[in-house]
Structures are given as structure tokens and as C-alpha cells.
Amino acid sequence: TKEALLSVWETILSNTGVQVTTNERVQQVLRSESAFQVGTANGTYSASNVVLAIGKRGVPRRLGVPGEDLPKVCYSLIEAETYKDKNVLVVGGGDSAIEAALALSRSGTNHVTLSYRGDHFNRARNRNRKFLEEAEDSGRISIMRNSNVLGIRPEAVVLNVEGRALELPNHYSFILIGGESPEEFLRRTGVEIVEKALTA
């Protein structure tokens, strides 16, 4: 379980003395003659080695609309079962967005709307498309195709659906539209990015 895993990690941290700092974004990594200088908004750390474990997605992509900084806006879904009797908007057309919408709809108590700028979910796996169709047919998920978010308000969201503004009641909004590539950060850090053509 998540609780057991956290307990294991806490034990490892207390036994090794590793210090963990959260909510502190790394802005730059500079190499000096004897060490690296890791700069954040809170200060600078010196290290003889740096491991960049940032994943392939980098920073979650944002919509750039008013209200996106409200606390109810999320860029990942951790525990879908904790959301009950809520009006939920999921934005995106890939597997992450579809899987989140399906998970949030499973309880049958949430009103889930999936907003997608396209017509067809071509980027998603066939299995996810099939489950999404079933959820739409059964009324568990409302799909707003050819739509985009105009703004997010404390108790509502405003969508542009095929040229007309539509306001929906909303408790939570999940923006799952991929991530900004970390390439620029890596280049600034001095990491050489090499592209190779793979042949079959």
C-alpha cells in the first residue's frame, strides 16, 4: 500500500540521513572546477555529483487561461476514489486524460466531463477508447469534443464548445495535456542531447 511504502521510505531517510527538500524547483545547474552549484529560488546547493531524475515529461503543460492557479486545478490524478459527489472536468485526449476520467467515473457519484479539442481520440489506446465509449453511452462521462477551456472559476469552468461558451459547475479540474519537454533545461545545464535515427 501507499502507506507501507511511505513508511519504508521514511525509515530509509532516518537511517541514512538523506535530506529531502520539497516544493523547491531547480532553476540551474552550473559546473565549477571542484563541484556543481545547484540553484533554486531558495538558494544554492553545492554537490560533487548531480543526478537528474526528472522523467521524460518535464513540467506539466498548462492551458494558459484565467483561473488556472486556483487550488482546485490539478495536473495529475493520484487517488480517484477520494473524489465523491463532485463535478469534475478532465482536459485532454490522450491515455492519461481518458484513464483519469474513467477512474473518476467509476464510483458513479461524480459528474465527469471530458473536454477534448479534437473530434476523435486517435492518440489513445484502443482499449481506452472502447472503455470511454461505454462510459459515454452509459452516461457516466460527458464528452465535450471540439472544445477548449476559456477560464476556470472557483465554482465553475467556462468552455468554448464549437464556437459557443458553455459554463459548467465545477469542483475540480484535471489538466492532463502532456508536459513541456525538459530539453531546454538540459541544454542550459550543459547536457548534450544527441538524436539518432533508428533503422529496422
Side-chain angles (χ1 to χ4, degrees):
T1 64
K2 179 182 74 173
E3 291 74 19
L5 182 60
L6 286 172
S7 176
V8 169
W9 286 346
E10 287 167 357
T11 301
I12 292 170
L13 291 175
S14 64
N15 289 342
T16 60
V18 172
Q19 296 178 351
V20 176
T21 304
T22 59
N23 296 316
E24 188 172 355
R25 185 173 176 181
V26 173
Q27 296 171 327
Q28 63 178 358
V29 180
L30 301 174
R31 181 182 220 141
S32 63
E33 288 184 11
S34 59
F36 290 96
Q37 302 302 316
V38 180
T40 74
N42 296 348
T44 303
Y45 300 89
S46 182
S48 55
N49 296 287
V50 175
V51 177
L52 295 174
I54 57 177
K56 64 178 182 178
R57 284 181 28 169
V59 178
R61 185 172 287 130
R62 295 169 59 90
L63 294 170
V65 299
E68 194 169 4
D69 292 324
L70 288 170
K72 70 174 190 172
V73 178
C74 309
Y75 296 90
S76 63
L77 174 64
I78 306 299
E79 295 177 333
E81 62 275 8
T82 61
Y83 299 88
K84 291 184 172 65
D85 301 309
K86 303 297 182 189
N87 292 308
V88 182
L89 175 72
V90 179
V91 180
D95 285 311
S96 295
I98 292 173
E99 288 167 8
L102 290 168
L104 288 161
S105 73
R106 268 187 208 110
S107 69
T109 66
N110 294 318
H111 184 270
V112 180
T113 301
L114 178 61
S115 170
Y116 179 48
R117 64 185 178 180
D119 245 338
H120 306 289
F121 297 89
N122 296 328
R123 293 183 295 127
R125 293 186 188 103
N126 289 336
R127 177 182 56 130
N128 282 338
R129 289 205 299 263
K130 176 178 172 287
F131 290 152
L132 183 62
E133 287 173 15
E134 292 171 358
E136 183 181 27
D137 290 343
S138 67
R140 287 189 293 120
I141 297 177
S142 300
I143 302 177
M144 299 290 173
R145 293 170 176 83
N146 301 308
S147 68
N148 54 66
V149 179
L150 296 177
I152 302 170
R153 300 173 183 166
E155 297 177 1
V157 290
V158 181
L159 301 177
N160 177 342
V161 184
E162 296 184 344
R164 63 186 178 91
L166 177 65
E167 183 172 323
L168 300 173
N170 179 255
H171 295 106
Y172 293 98
S173 296
F174 292 90
I175 315 301
L176 304 173
I177 55 176
E180 302 289 349
S181 169
E183 280 192 23
E184 181 55 36
F185 170 77
L186 293 173
R187 290 185 201 281
R188 280 189 285 114
T189 302
V191 175
E192 183 181 358
I193 299 172
V194 179
E195 295 183 11
K196 294 184 178 180
L198 299 178
T199 57

